[in-house]
Amino acid sequence: MATEVIKLVGFWVSPFVFRVEWALKLKGVAFEYIEEDIFNKTNRLLELNPVHKKVPVFVHDQKVIAESFVIIEYIDETWTQNPLLPQDPYQRAMARFWARFAEEKLMEAAWTSICSKGEQKERAEKEKTKLRMATEVIKLVGFWVSPFVFRVEWALKLKGVAFEYIEEDIFNKTNRLLELNPVHKKVPVFVHDQKVIAESFVIIEYIDETWTQNPLLPQDPYQRAMARFWARFAEEKLMEAAWTSICSKGEQKERAEKETIEALEKIEEQLKGKKYFGGDDKIGYLDIAIGWISYWLPIWGEVGSFEILDPKKFPGISAWKTRFLDHPVIRDSLPPRDKMLEYFHKRNQEWYSRLDSSGK
């Protein structure tokens, strides 16, 4: 470790930075800490993390990694002494799930509770949850048009894992769904014997670690970190902007369309010189994580009268899209395009009606 360059760029009061610092110290890894002024960001930060422009940023020799959870897993996989994640795949999945839950639900609610008043403050302070276990074998609870469900289905089929699919009415949720996923009350939900797992990214990693044939995530810790990073980026930046672009009007729609193109430009850069995102001649984790771009995104564009995937502007994504959709596992499991168009046109009209009734 003495010859390695190991740096952590942070901000003195950030809990996201401290969790990375704690991981390094528990591992006994020496590192250089660099303080960043997040209110007057330096060129160093903007160059190291041009995507989110936030701390923490972790530098290991020539490798730069952002997002605290991604960094921690990279640290745990690179320096194997004093393991942080459990060895059992299910326990790892649960650790990832509850870490994300605390981040997205507890932290947000706690922060809202100190930055709000009245009913909003009361709601934030009452955010609670608990999980109940089910007694199933290998089952996937989903919704026919959900891209989150399909990425799990693709993972199972690429692994050759037989499973029972259970269709859920997300507009009239059954007690089964509410019992299996009382935290988010959403699909997909994956059931493996007595183990119940929610959130598609968490499920995919559990599948990859439980059934080791045909690995989805790269073997190299840095490449795994990058796959997780870009999967989250596409989810939080591209999908949100693209969906907003078909469910909004005026300036909001224009802004969402611009953000969609900007996000796609960053993803296009990741495909330079590659057939698939993992760099191999086969579908991997990142391909199925953002596989919705190949099929759902053009349909959303058609519904919103917005050409999203221009082949001239995005030649890499366009070529990848053709290869991805031509794979038998993907091609043979896609929902009917005409049915999807009808569904999303209906959703689009419902959103427009709400906007018109609200006067926006």
Side-chain angles (χ1 to χ4, degrees), residues 282-347:
K282 68 182 184 70
I283 292 175
Y285 172 86
L286 188 53
D287 298 286
I288 63 175
I290 64 177
W292 60 272
I293 292 176
S294 67
Y295 198 66
W296 278 256
L297 196 58
I299 289 175
W300 291 356
E302 186 172 337
V303 171
S305 301
F306 168 36
E307 185 182 9
I308 300 178
L309 285 181
D310 182 349
K312 293 181 180 178
K313 189 173 182 61
F314 303 111
I317 294 177
S318 297
W320 164 83
K321 169 178 170 285
T322 300
R323 281 190 290 270
F324 184 76
L325 292 178
D326 195 48
H327 191 287
V329 164
I330 310 302
R331 182 183 63 236
D332 297 342
S333 62
L334 294 170
R337 193 174 190 279
D338 55 348
K339 187 179 177 183
M340 288 180 67
L341 276 170
E342 180 182 353
Y343 171 80
F344 285 116
H345 270 300
K346 182 180 178 181
R347 293 295 306 276

Side-chain angles (χ1 to χ4, degrees), residues 269-293:
E269 293 174 4
Q270 303 308 307
L271 271 169
K272 286 183 178 178
K274 301 177 185 176
K275 289 184 177 180
Y276 295 100
F277 282 99
D280 300 323
D281 289 335
K282 68 182 184 70
I283 292 175
Y285 172 86
L286 188 53
D287 298 286
I288 63 175
I290 64 177
W292 60 272
I293 292 176

Side-chain angles (χ1 to χ4, degrees), residues 153-283:
E153 181 175 334
W154 293 333
L156 288 165
K157 289 182 175 180
L158 287 167
K159 290 281 188 177
V161 178
F163 64 98
E164 177 186 353
Y165 176 78
I166 302 171
E167 178 71 8
E168 176 66 36
D169 182 357
I170 63 171
F171 300 103
N172 185 26
K173 296 174 182 178
T174 63
N175 288 333
R176 175 188 57 230
L177 176 62
L178 301 179
E179 290 173 0
L180 289 174
N181 189 5
V183 177
H184 295 305
K185 304 178 179 66
K186 295 179 180 180
V187 294
V189 179
F190 184 67
V191 182
H192 182 205
D193 295 330
Q194 306 295 317
K195 307 163 187 175
V196 180
I197 309 171
E199 285 201 1
S200 58
F201 289 148
V202 175
I203 296 170
I204 292 171
E205 291 212 38
Y206 174 77
I207 290 169
D208 201 32
E209 293 167 351
T210 301
W211 294 279
T212 56
Q213 68 274 22
N214 304 324
L216 300 174
L217 274 164
Q219 296 303 303
D220 178 68
Y222 178 71
Q223 294 301 322
R224 281 201 295 273
M226 290 297 96
R228 291 168 181 139
F229 175 88
W230 286 108
R232 286 286 173 187
F233 173 82
E235 188 96 324
E236 296 167 1
K237 299 296 182 180
L238 176 57
M239 182 178 283
E240 182 176 341
W243 182 250
T244 300
S245 73
I246 71 168
C247 299
S248 57
K249 295 181 178 181
E251 291 184 3
Q252 185 182 14
K253 181 178 179 66
E254 292 177 6
R255 187 166 58 250
E257 290 177 353
K258 181 175 180 292
E259 291 173 356
T260 299
I261 296 301
E262 289 174 350
L264 280 170
E265 288 172 346
K266 288 184 169 61
I267 291 172
E268 173 75 15
E269 293 174 4
Q270 303 308 307
L271 271 169
K272 286 183 178 178
K274 301 177 185 176
K275 289 184 177 180
Y276 295 100
F277 282 99
D280 300 323
D281 289 335
K282 68 182 184 70
I283 292 175

Side-chain angles (χ1 to χ4, degrees), residues 91-137:
Q91 294 301 323
R92 282 202 294 275
M94 288 297 94
R96 292 172 180 134
F97 175 88
W98 286 111
R100 285 288 175 188
F101 172 78
E103 185 100 329
E104 297 167 0
K105 298 295 182 178
L106 176 59
M107 182 178 286
E108 181 178 338
W111 185 251
T112 301
S113 72
I114 67 170
C115 299
S116 58
K117 296 180 180 180
E119 291 184 0
Q120 185 184 17
K121 184 179 180 70
E122 291 177 10
R123 281 196 305 272
E125 291 174 341
K126 290 178 181 177
E127 288 276 354
K128 296 178 181 178
T129 185
K130 63 179 180 178
L131 284 170
R132 290 175 58 185
M133 305 302 285
T135 56
E136 318 289 345
V137 184

Side-chain angles (χ1 to χ4, degrees), residues 1 6-8 12 14 16-34 58 71-72 74-76 79-84:
M1 286 187 284
I6 304 173
K7 298 180 180 181
L8 173 61
W12 70 277
S14 167
F16 310 107
V17 173
F18 271 87
R19 58 169 64 133
V20 175
E21 184 173 337
W22 294 333
L24 289 165
K25 290 182 176 179
L26 286 168
K27 290 282 188 177
V29 178
F31 64 98
E32 176 187 356
Y33 176 78
I34 302 172
F58 184 68
I71 296 170
I72 291 171
Y74 173 78
I75 291 169
D76 200 33
W79 294 280
T80 55
Q81 68 274 22
N82 305 323
L84 301 175

